[in-house]
Every structure is written in C-alpha cells, then in structure tokens.
Amino acid sequence: MNTMFDLKCESSSGEEDETEGGESSLTAQIARCANVSSADLDELEHNRNESSTVKQTVWAVNCFKAWLREKQLTIDFKTVEKSELNPVLREFYGSIRTSKGELYGISSYVGLRAGLNRFINEPPLNRVWNLMQDTEFRAANNVFKGVVKQIRRSGRNITAHYPPISPEDQHLLKHSPALDPGNPKGLLNKVWYDIQLHFGLRGKEGNRHLQPDAFALNRDQNGFKYFTMTLHEDTKNMPEKDKKNRRAMYEEPGNPLCPVASLEKYLSKIPADAKALYLQPKRTYVIADEMWYTPLPMGVNYLSQMLPKICKEAGTRTIYTNHSLRLTAIQRLTESREIMAVCVSVPVEINTQWQQQQPESTPYSPSSELDSSSARQESPVSSHSWVKQEPEPEAIQWENKNSDAATDAEKDKNLNTSIPSMEGLPSSVMLTITKLQCLLESKQERIEALERQVQDLQEDRRFLRSQIENLTGARLVSVPEASTSVFSQSRSRKRRRKSSSSSYIEDESITDESSSEESSSIRKKRRHKKKGKRGCVPHCD
C-alpha cells in the first residue's frame, strides 16, 4: 500500500537567517522531517508494549487455546460474535486450572482475562471489544468475580515475597570460592554479584543487554575510584526522578575483595570488541593469559539462575533467587538514606585516626535492634502460680544482667571514642562509620531504657511480695480459730440430730406395740362372743 503525501519539509525563515557580524551563519537548510521507512514504523509500533506484557498476552492466549482443544471447541476470533463468545468465556473462567489441577492466584487469573482482551483488540484482529465492561459479557464476568472470591477464601491470594539475603549468608557468599576473583568463573560471578548489589538491576533481559561501556570509572575529590552507570536499564516502573539519581560503587582500599578492583580486572580480561558485558569463560586458561573470556555472551536463562548456582556452590542456608539480591540492594539503599537523615539532624563527633585494614563489619539491619514492644510483658500479679514458682535467685540474675548491661554500655562508650575521623575518606567509608555511630547511640539509649524498666519491675516485685506476706500472715492467724468453732458446732448439731431421730424411732415403736396389743384383745373378744352365741341356740324335738 503506497500513500502519496504532498508535503514539503521546510524550515522557518526566522531560524535560517541568523547572522553574526553581518555574515550568514547557516548556509544550508535543515529539514524538520526525518526519512523513516515503513519497517522503522512497524518496529516502533511493535515496541509500544513491554516485553513482559507481550509474554503475558501470549501465555493467556495459549492457555485459552489449550482449554479449547480439551473441550473440542473451535472459535474464529475474526468472525465470532459477542453472544457466541460470552458462554465460552463463562465456562472458561470457571473451569480453567493450572498444570497441577489447582486454582490460579488472583494476579495470574486477572492476567488471563487482560491478556485475552489485549489479543482481541490489537492487530490483526482489532475487534474493539472490552471483555471487562461490555454488557454482552456480564454473565462471564459474574463467574469471574465468583472465582476470585473462591480464590480468596482458599487463601491463595497471599503473595509470597522473596526474602532479602541475610547478613550471615552475605558474609558467606563474599568469602566463598564461588566469588573468588583469582579464576575466570569466580571473577565473573563476583562482578555480577557486586553490580547487582550496588546498582540493584532487575530482570534477566537487563543483565543480558549490558555492555562494557555501560560503566564509567571516576574519581572523587579525595582521589578514590568509583564506578557509575552511564546507561539506565529500561524499566517500566522506575520514575524519572529515580533514573536521574545515579548510584555508585566505591572502592575499598586494602580489601582484596574490592568491587572496583574486581570490575577493572574483569574489563581487562575480556576482548576489546566485546558486544556484551557478561561473556563465557574459556574452557582452558592460564592465570597469566591476557584474555580469560570468549566473545560469546552469557545466555539469558543462565543469567537468570546466577544467584541460585552461586548459593549452592557457597553452601548458604537458603537458596536465594536473583530477585532476593535486588531486594537486598534496595534494603541497603533505604537503610543508608534513613541513617543519613538521622545523622543530619543529630551531628556526630569523631576525633581519631582511621585504620585501613580492619575486619569487615556486618551490614546494619533494623531487625538487629531490640523491638521496644518485646520489653513489655504481661503483669504476672493475677496468677497465683507466679507467687509459688518464682525463685529467689531471680533478683540476683536481674542484678547480673544490669551489671552486664552497664559494662556493655561502658564498652560502647569506649568504642565510641575510638571511631575514626571522616576527613579524607570516601563516601562509602563515611557511610559505614555513620552507621556504626548511630547503632552505638541507639544501643546506649536502649540499655538505659531497659535498666529503668528493670528497676521498676524490681520495685513492683518487692511491693507485691510485702502485700502477699501481709495477706498470708493475716489468714494464718484467723483461719484456725474459726475452723475449731465451726467444727464443734457441727458436732453438737450432729449429736442433737441423732438423739432426736432415736427418740422418734422409740416413740414409733411404742405406739406400734400398743396398737398391736389393742387389736389382738379386740379380736379375742369378738371370737368369744361368736362362740357364746353358738352355744345358746334352742334344740327342736
């Protein structure tokens, strides 16, 4: 299809007639329209969506087609009507399951419908439908909402986030043979690990598209080296203000595992015409060789499994993913910003000399501090078992803890005076010193708060014990007298009841005997009268 345009690309007269000193500065006209081919336009149109969005659309369409094959149904998306597609989608939303026969998560389930909607509305179909809002698809959407509620009731809507790398595993990874810069594989792993940790790159595509010229070596005002990224990765959810804030990777003088030294060594061991940053190591190499790597780049899938392979080789407690390393970088950046904000409001005084060679300290983590809520415990006064089971040496233990806390506070104060000065140090070292200073101050404040709480608890304990002793002493005095009087009264009552019951029984027995005697005498009299009447009857001759 050829389209003719009768348009002329001309520059404005005001822009081309600029002169200086009476001489013309522009001798040629600059065209304001570029020559763009149809292939370039097609590429721009194809790249309007992110690669992840395109993959999600393909996945949703493949799921729908596989479901149609199992149901033995055929649908022509170019000619199908809304009334015909609605019952199919209604059944699809209600019966689609994962490859394991389970319900999808809510995010995946929503992605299915969104992917189908994009597939129908984009070229080559261009149906201009809305599967989520058109009234013809109301029945299908009602089933969709019901399935979402079912997923929430089943508890599958809880998102499992990747955990950041723990400080122990970070220390184990840094000093493991997997990140040894003395061999090609270890140097490659260490450079990848340092770049991910300091710059927080995301996505396996972003690592694959990195080039050797993506990093620039600079020096600060004190002469220390540091690397910055000249190009930012193409991310869809990074604000422009964050893209302008460049992160840096500073050197660590005297440290054999310095990240800047490792990256410099790696760049010197790759070919000069390399098209990618991460290259495949040579199968056979010598330490003295100038080149350790081939021109072939590392694959996308291999780069996506870098951290799990490193963790298995290093023997960490948890096998982390690449996303965990990105979360660790974000956590470090957030902690540094918070600590710097605190230190700006509270100035820190440091007055000693810096020693370069010192053991690497564990990164500061807010979780290492004791939560103030953990110091609050439920009062045991309402429980009677607490009074019986409470041992006496507990007060001694609390006193020992107080003394230990006081000694720790004194040690922290002594360490506080031995922190080096910040003059002539790179920003990374200054940041580490600031972290340690803030940590010491927070520990001292927490120790003082705990000491006050322990003193309050001891005073409450003494008061409660005195109250309990007073109550128990009063009960021991009053209980025996009351118990003897009550017991004697109960015995006298029992005797009276027994005597009354026995007299009642005797009276009943006497009355029974007298009544029986009377009845027997009456019976005898009656018999005697009957016999007399029989004897006086006249005889007939």
Side-chain angles (χ1 to χ4, degrees):
M1 180 178 179
N2 296 327
T3 305
M4 299 298 295
F5 295 95
D6 189 14
L7 297 176
K8 295 182 180 180
C9 297
E10 297 180 353
S11 61
S12 61
S13 60
E15 294 177 353
E16 65 184 18
D17 294 330
E18 296 180 356
T19 60
E20 181 180 358
E23 295 181 357
S24 176
S25 61
L26 295 176
T27 59
Q29 295 181 355
I30 300 175
R32 300 186 66 179
C33 59
N35 293 326
V36 181
S37 62
S38 59
D40 296 335
L41 295 175
D42 293 338
E43 184 179 359
L44 291 173
E45 184 180 3
H46 179 71
N47 294 331
R48 69 190 181 278
N49 293 326
E50 297 289 338
S51 59
S52 58
T53 305
V54 176
K55 290 181 180 179
Q56 188 187 41
T57 303
V58 174
W59 168 74
V61 173
N62 291 336
C63 288
F64 187 62
K65 290 182 178 179
W67 181 84
L68 290 175
R69 286 194 298 268
E70 290 184 4
K71 295 291 183 178
Q72 297 180 358
L73 298 174
T74 56
I75 292 179
D76 187 3
F77 292 99
K78 295 181 179 180
T79 59
V80 68
E81 298 295 334
K82 293 182 179 180
S83 59
E84 299 174 357
L85 186 60
N86 178 52
V88 178
L89 290 177
R90 184 173 181 269
E91 187 178 358
F92 171 72
Y93 293 153
S95 61
I96 187 63
R97 295 293 185 272
T98 63
S99 58
K100 298 181 181 180
E102 300 176 352
L103 287 170
Y104 281 101
I106 291 182
S107 59
S108 301
Y109 194 62
V110 172
L112 279 173
R113 186 174 66 169
L116 292 176
N117 187 69
R118 283 191 298 269
F119 174 72
I120 291 175
N121 288 279
E122 292 180 354
L125 297 179
N126 297 324
R127 299 303 299 269
V128 196
W129 290 356
N130 193 336
L131 299 182
M132 286 79 80
Q133 296 181 0
D134 288 349
T135 57
E136 290 82 0
F137 300 107
R138 182 175 298 173
N141 290 325
N142 290 336
V143 174
F144 182 86
K145 294 177 182 178
V147 175
V148 170
K149 290 185 178 180
Q150 183 180 0
I151 294 172
R152 288 175 178 170
R153 294 191 194 102
S154 62
R156 295 185 60 85
N157 61 327
I158 301 174
T159 304
H161 296 283
Y162 296 98
I165 304 176
S166 63
E168 294 80 6
D169 288 338
Q170 289 185 39
H171 185 270
L172 184 61
L173 286 172
K174 288 181 179 179
H175 297 83
S176 66
L179 301 182
D180 183 12
N183 59 81
K185 185 179 178 182
L187 180 60
L188 174 65
N189 293 338
K190 187 178 186 305
V191 168
W192 178 88
Y193 182 86
D194 292 337
I195 290 175
Q196 293 293 120
L197 187 62
H198 287 84
F199 295 98
L201 303 183
R202 60 175 296 163
K204 51 187 179 182
E205 291 85 1
N207 289 326
R208 174 62 180 82
H209 296 159
L210 284 178
Q211 297 180 0
D213 59 351
F215 298 93
L217 182 62
N218 306 301
R219 288 182 179 271
D220 61 3
Q221 57 183 0
N222 298 318
F224 291 96
K225 300 178 182 179
Y226 66 94
F227 274 103
T228 57
M229 284 191 67
T230 58
L231 298 176
H232 288 279
E233 57 174 344
D234 190 12
T235 56
K236 63 181 181 180
N237 57 356
M238 181 182 291
E240 293 295 332
K241 61 180 181 179
D242 291 343
K243 292 183 180 181
K244 295 179 182 179
N245 297 329
R246 292 188 175 184
R247 304 167 196 169
M249 182 171 64
Y250 281 86
E251 68 171 337
E252 300 175 3
N255 185 5
L257 301 176
C258 174
V260 174
S262 299
L263 184 54
E264 285 182 326
K265 182 178 180 180
Y266 178 80
L267 293 176
S268 65
K269 296 293 184 179
I270 63 176
D273 57 347
K275 302 298 182 182
L277 178 64
Y278 300 117
L279 303 178
Q280 296 182 11
K282 291 182 178 181
R283 295 184 179 179
T284 58
Y285 70 94
V286 181
I287 299 296
D289 290 344
E290 294 182 358
M291 299 298 167
W292 282 2
Y293 303 93
T294 64
L296 299 176
M298 302 293 293
V300 175
N301 296 329
Y302 187 89
L303 291 174
S304 65
Q305 298 296 322
M306 283 288 286
L307 189 58
K309 293 178 181 179
I310 294 174
C311 290
K312 290 179 182 179
E313 186 175 353
T316 57
R317 299 178 181 178
T318 305
I319 305 300
Y320 299 96
T321 61
N322 292 359
H323 197 72
S324 298
L325 188 56
R326 175 175 168 81
L327 289 178
T328 306
I330 295 173
Q331 186 180 27
R332 289 182 56 184
L333 182 62
T334 305
E335 292 173 0
S336 62
R337 287 178 179 175
E338 292 177 354
I339 292 173
M340 291 301 294
V342 172
C343 295
V344 167
S345 60
V346 181
V348 183
E349 296 181 358
I350 304 173
N351 295 319
T352 55
Q353 296 296 328
W354 168 254
Q355 299 176 356
Q356 288 185 352
Q357 296 182 356
Q358 60 180 358
E360 185 177 359
S361 61
T362 304
Y364 170 75
S365 176
S367 59
S368 62
E369 294 189 9
L370 184 63
D371 188 9
S372 61
S373 60
S374 61
R376 301 175 183 174
Q377 299 180 356
E378 185 179 0
S379 178
V381 178
S382 59
S383 176
H384 298 287
S385 60
W386 171 77
V387 179
K388 298 179 181 179
Q389 297 177 0
E390 184 185 18
E392 185 67 26
E394 186 175 358
I396 302 174
Q397 294 179 2
W398 278 109
E399 294 176 356
N400 293 333
K401 290 181 180 180
N402 292 333
S403 61
D404 294 339
T407 55
D408 292 340
E410 293 178 357
K411 291 180 181 179
D412 292 339
K413 292 179 180 177
N414 295 330
L415 289 174
N416 189 11
T417 59
S418 63
I419 296 177
S421 62
M422 291 187 179
E423 296 180 355
L425 296 177
S427 60
S428 60
V429 178
M430 294 170 61
L431 181 60
T432 304
I433 296 172
T434 307
K435 287 182 181 180
L436 294 175
Q437 181 66 18
C438 294
L439 181 60
L440 291 175
E441 291 179 356
S442 63
K443 284 183 64 178
Q444 292 175 3
E445 293 177 357
R446 189 56 50 83
I447 289 172
E448 293 176 358
L450 290 175
E451 289 177 353
R452 290 192 296 269
Q453 291 180 0
V454 169
Q455 292 177 359
D456 294 339
L457 289 174
Q458 288 180 350
E459 292 178 359
D460 295 340
R461 182 170 172 271
R462 296 190 189 107
F463 174 74
L464 290 174
R465 278 196 167 183
S466 62
Q467 293 292 329
I468 292 170
E469 290 176 357
N470 295 333
L471 292 173
T472 52
R475 287 182 179 179
L476 290 174
V477 173
S478 60
V479 166
E481 296 178 355
S483 60
T484 51
S485 61
V486 170
F487 183 71
S488 60
Q489 291 178 0
S490 62
R491 290 185 64 182
S492 61
R493 289 177 182 175
K494 287 181 180 179
R495 289 176 181 177
R496 292 175 184 175
R497 289 177 183 176
K498 288 183 180 179
S499 60
S500 61
S501 61
S502 59
S503 61
Y504 177 75
I505 292 170
E506 290 176 357
D507 294 339
E508 286 184 350
S509 61
I510 293 170
T511 52
D512 291 338
E513 290 177 356
S514 60
S515 60
S516 62
E517 290 178 356
E518 291 178 356
S519 61
S520 60
S521 61
I522 292 170
R523 290 175 183 175
K524 288 180 181 180
K525 289 179 180 181
R526 289 179 179 177
R527 289 177 183 176
H528 182 70
K529 288 180 180 180
K530 288 180 179 179
K531 289 180 180 180
K533 289 179 179 180
R534 290 177 181 176
C536 63
V537 175
H539 295 277
C540 295
D541 293 334

